[in-house]
Amino acid sequence: MKIAYWIATGLLSLMMLFSASMYIFNHEEILKTFISFNYPGYVIYPLAILKLSGITVILLNKWKSLKEWAYAGFFFNFVMAFFAHQQAGDGEWGGALMALVLLLASYFLGKKVRA
């Protein structure tokens, strides 16, 4: 169980690190995508910072209530990303679905490991 938890959490962390780096270093391309979803462009940098912060909180495992909020924030982010890609019809929804699966695996396996 512990190995599966760390695999899921590690892959989730890598996905969020990649996503946040894309938001920061490939801003123009991400801005085009956000505009196509009718999302405001000004949320890109704060979202990148929140993704990095959320992964930090999850990996450090020090603040239990903050960790729950990080998982919840990721959950809503992934669900909204999935439906945004579905609505846009761009076929890019697979990443959001994979992130959601990894998030749920990390969350529930983490609960079992710590029990």
Side-chain angles (χ1 to χ4, degrees):
M1 287 284 212
K2 197 176 226 182
I3 293 171
Y5 164 74
W6 280 111
I7 289 172
T9 304
L11 290 173
L12 176 67
S13 299
L14 288 174
M15 283 185 81
M16 292 304 95
L17 186 60
F18 175 75
S19 175
S21 67
M22 289 291 291
Y23 283 19
I24 294 167
F25 299 116
N26 197 7
H27 186 266
E28 291 305 316
E29 192 65 33
I30 300 300
L31 181 60
K32 289 178 193 172
T33 303
F34 269 59
I35 289 171
S36 75
F37 295 157
N38 291 323
Y39 289 165
Y42 61 82
V43 301
I44 295 172
Y45 288 127
L47 191 55
I49 292 167
L50 288 171
K51 285 182 177 189
L52 294 172
S53 300
I55 286 301
T56 302
V57 166
I58 288 171
L59 290 175
L60 288 179
N61 196 25
K62 287 186 177 184
W63 308 282
K64 301 234 184 280
S65 61
L66 195 55
K67 186 174 181 174
E68 292 289 326
W69 280 100
Y71 275 115
F74 281 135
F75 177 81
F76 290 117
N77 180 256
F78 301 155
V79 168
M80 289 177 61
F82 175 80
F83 284 113
H85 285 290
Q86 284 284 36
Q87 284 296 113
D90 62 7
E92 298 287 328
W93 51 268
L97 187 60
M98 177 58 74
L100 186 59
V101 168
L102 290 171
L103 178 81
L104 293 173
S106 173
Y107 181 78
F108 289 112
L109 287 170
K111 290 272 189 198
K112 286 190 178 225
V113 165
R114 286 184 289 282

